[in-house]
Amino acid sequence: MTPDEPVLPRIRPEIAALPPYRQGRPADPNGFKLSSNENPFDPLPAVLEATRAATEFNRYPDATAARLREALGERYGVEPDGVLIGAGSVALLQAFIQAAATVGDEVVYSWRSFEAYPGLVLIAGASGVQVPNLPDGRHDLDAMAAAVTERTRVVLLCTPNNPTGPIITSAEFAAFVEKVPGDVLILLDEAYAEFVRDPDAVDGLGERVFEAHPNVVVLRTFSKAYGLAALRVGYAIGHPRVLDAARSTVTPLSVTAQSVAAAVASLAHQAEIDARVDELVARRDRLAAGLREMGWPVPDAQGNFVWLPSDDSQAVASAFDAAGIIVRPFPEGVRISIGEHESVEKVLGIARSVVPSVPSGSGGPADSVER
């Protein structure tokens, strides 16, 4: 340090080394941003109206988001105390991990999965135990169960798995949860549940898994299917005493009155939301089928995105970038969100030009059974 350099506060070395969350950059006006799993539809008119009516900016919002908890409780048949609202499901993930795990504890999760998981675990001071995905992009639940030790405090399950796309089946989840001690918190991250069309998929809320297993909490969000990503509102449903722990660690007053108003209005217009989701699912299935026909081993796609396994993901992403399409590269492949109708054929055209980048045995239809 030179005499002119200021003395700065000491930062935990692991935090200093932690890369910040990398958001997908905007596309050019004539391009498509397909890197952030956003909903391409504009907000519903009724949602805009409800948001504009929430004008008491000089007042703090209801810290409990009671209106939204009551609406969700009525929809899913639970008491409001069995619902917790947060600034997106990622904020709730952080709150639960911080409530359950600290230095010396372990958090088990599949990898590759949601990119925020490692950072959330590290911030809590715990150690992450990454269990590799199966070749077809699914969670290896047997290996995850075997990775649970006396130090395990939390298990993260992402279904459909982001970024690879496959789901956890109901039978697989039932078998897994029986292998995990009841004092280990299982967070069932269902951020993309509305896009699932596999009848065998676990449905944490529909099956009410939190009743038979109080150590299970189901998390969902309004960011994806409901198109409220900018408003940051998600929810967790589970045993009230388990939720109480996260109520103590979640950032107070982080969900705005406007977010609550938009979410409540969205629930009141579910049919319109469902129609939009159906259209996105149709685009997803059309895109996945076209990619497979040209040789891409796309795993089972059940979210609002598809996964292109590749040993040279940066080159693949660059090819899309050059054509005005922003995608999300990872070391193991490229994730492409389902966007505007016009983007589907353009994605297929670019993907055709980089098919040779596909690795052998990377988990497509030839390597797995589509469910």
Side-chain angles (χ1 to χ4, degrees):
M1 184 175 68
T2 67
D4 295 332
E5 291 182 2
V7 176
L8 299 177
R10 297 180 183 179
I11 304 298
R12 289 165 51 192
E14 63 272 25
I15 297 298
L18 180 67
Y21 179 80
R22 185 168 61 88
Q23 184 179 18
R25 63 183 176 83
D28 293 333
N30 295 324
F32 297 99
K33 181 189 176 188
L34 306 180
S35 56
S36 297
N37 290 349
E38 295 162 329
N39 191 315
F41 289 104
D42 291 334
L44 292 173
V47 172
L48 288 175
E49 181 180 350
T51 306
R52 292 187 183 117
T55 58
E56 291 189 342
F57 300 135
N58 58 315
R59 302 294 183 186
Y60 286 114
D62 173 8
T64 70
R67 285 180 59 210
L68 183 53
R69 289 190 299 113
E70 290 168 1
L72 288 167
E74 182 176 351
R75 167 160 297 192
Y76 294 114
V78 299
E79 293 298 320
D81 286 348
V83 183
L84 175 63
I85 308 299
S89 56
V90 67
L92 294 171
L93 286 165
Q94 181 176 28
F96 281 108
I97 293 171
Q98 288 184 322
T102 187
V103 177
D105 298 332
E106 293 179 345
V107 178
V108 175
Y109 54 91
S110 192
W111 197 250
R112 180 166 292 272
S113 192
F114 181 32
E115 61 190 297
Y117 289 164
L120 296 178
V121 174
L122 188 149
I123 290 169
S127 299
V129 178
Q130 295 183 351
V131 178
N133 290 335
L134 292 167
D136 59 1
R138 294 185 300 125
H139 284 24
D140 187 343
L141 292 175
D142 288 337
M144 292 183 72
V148 174
T149 70
E150 293 183 355
R151 295 175 59 190
T152 305
R153 296 295 178 268
V154 183
V155 176
L156 304 173
L157 300 178
C158 187
T159 179
N161 186 48
N162 174 22
T164 60
I167 50 89
I168 295 170
T169 69
S170 180
E172 288 170 339
F173 178 80
F176 175 80
V177 75
E178 291 295 340
K179 299 176 184 177
V180 177
D183 60 357
V184 173
L185 176 62
I186 298 175
L187 298 178
L188 188 59
D189 185 354
E190 295 187 332
Y192 302 92
E194 293 86 358
F195 301 97
V196 173
R197 294 298 181 268
D198 187 332
D200 294 329
V202 64
D203 178 351
L205 298 183
E207 298 176 42
R208 308 181 71 82
V209 297
F210 48 87
E211 291 183 339
H213 304 282
N215 62 320
V216 176
V217 173
V218 181
L219 297 101
R220 292 195 180 179
T221 183
F222 284 89
S223 296
K224 310 302 181 184
Y226 290 89
L228 303 184
L231 291 179
R232 312 306 306 129
V233 55
Y235 59 100
I237 293 182
H239 193 289
R241 281 165 46 194
V242 178
L243 300 190
D244 283 345
R247 294 187 219 276
S248 299
T249 56
V250 74
T251 302
L253 301 167
S254 58
V255 181
T256 68
Q258 293 72 32
S259 300
V260 169
V264 171
S266 296
L267 292 173
H269 292 80
Q270 189 66 50
E272 295 171 79
I273 297 292
D274 291 343
R276 292 179 167 197
V277 170
D278 286 344
E279 172 58 26
L280 292 175
V281 168
R283 293 178 196 174
R284 175 198 72 196
D285 291 347
R286 186 165 70 252
L287 178 59
L291 291 166
R292 292 178 186 131
E293 287 175 4
M294 68 180 67
W296 282 100
V298 176
D300 187 22
Q302 293 290 326
N304 67 335
F305 53 88
V306 296
W307 174 249
L308 304 185
S310 175
D311 289 332
D312 197 2
S313 58
Q314 289 296 335
V316 174
S318 294
F320 282 96
D321 196 352
I325 294 182
I326 311 302
V327 298
R328 179 65 68 91
F330 297 89
E332 307 88 346
V334 173
R335 189 191 70 197
I336 305 176
S337 306
I338 306 305
E340 292 80 358
H341 173 76
E342 298 81 7
S343 69
V344 174
E345 288 303 321
K346 194 165 185 179
V347 168
L348 289 172
I350 301 164
R352 187 174 290 106
S353 70
V354 286
V355 170
S357 299
V358 182
S360 61
S362 54
D367 303 298
S368 63
V369 177
E370 292 292 338
R371 294 188 302 275

